[in-house]
Amino acid sequence: MSAINELYQQLILEHNKSPRNFKTMDDADKKAEGFNPLCGDHYTIFLKIKDNRIADIGFQGAGCAISKASASMMTAAIKGATVEEVEALFQKFHAVVTGKMTSDTDVEDLGSLGALAGVAEFPARIKCASLAWHAMHSVLHEMNDSTKTVVTSDTMT
Ligand code: FES
């Protein structure tokens, strides 16, 4: 295993063991649930939005190491970001983990999130890496007034 892959693997294991922003939020503005019916893994994402920014974010739930590490990394990456920055990051992350963007530069642009780029080679793992992201993305951009959205792996692309 190359040094960079080893570093990436350690990052994933570390986030799985000590997930960031692993908390509920009673006063969340938006709440999203992501569920993968194939394995039963599920996460709830809590968002507080102020002045077009992610003022706070938390998540709860249980799942495989990749899904939990990805949710943890996502919360760390988007906390404090504007809605537009989150959208750009979501699009880039999604393109990298689905293998649509494969250059070293694309992966490096993601910073520590690049640790998840390797899932592109394992189709079943793409949903693990993107479960929390789809839930967050869908509730952030929903067009109705609901404060809660549910995403299942069946609806992910
Ligand atoms: Fe269920 Fe990874 S095995 S999300």
Side-chain angles (χ1 to χ4, degrees), residues 30-110:
K30 291 178 182 283
K31 184 174 160 188
E33 287 177 15
F35 175 61
N36 185 342
L38 297 175
C39 58
D41 292 357
H42 60 91
Y43 293 99
T44 306
I45 315 290
F46 305 91
L47 289 170
K48 224 187 261 186
I49 299 164
K50 196 173 175 205
D51 299 332
N52 199 43
R53 278 185 190 276
I54 309 298
D56 201 4
I57 181 166
F59 82 103
Q60 284 280 287
C64 66
I66 290 176
S67 63
K68 194 172 204 175
S70 182
S72 169
M73 288 180 183
M74 176 188 81
T75 64
I78 72 171
K79 196 170 178 174
T82 65
V83 171
E84 291 75 21
E85 288 166 344
V86 173
E87 177 63 19
L89 186 63
F90 172 84
Q91 294 300 340
K92 183 126 200 173
F93 177 80
H94 188 259
V96 167
V97 297
T98 54
K100 294 186 183 97
M101 280 186 177
T102 56
S103 77
D104 288 348
T105 314
D106 291 326
V107 174
E108 283 162 17
D109 279 354
L110 287 174

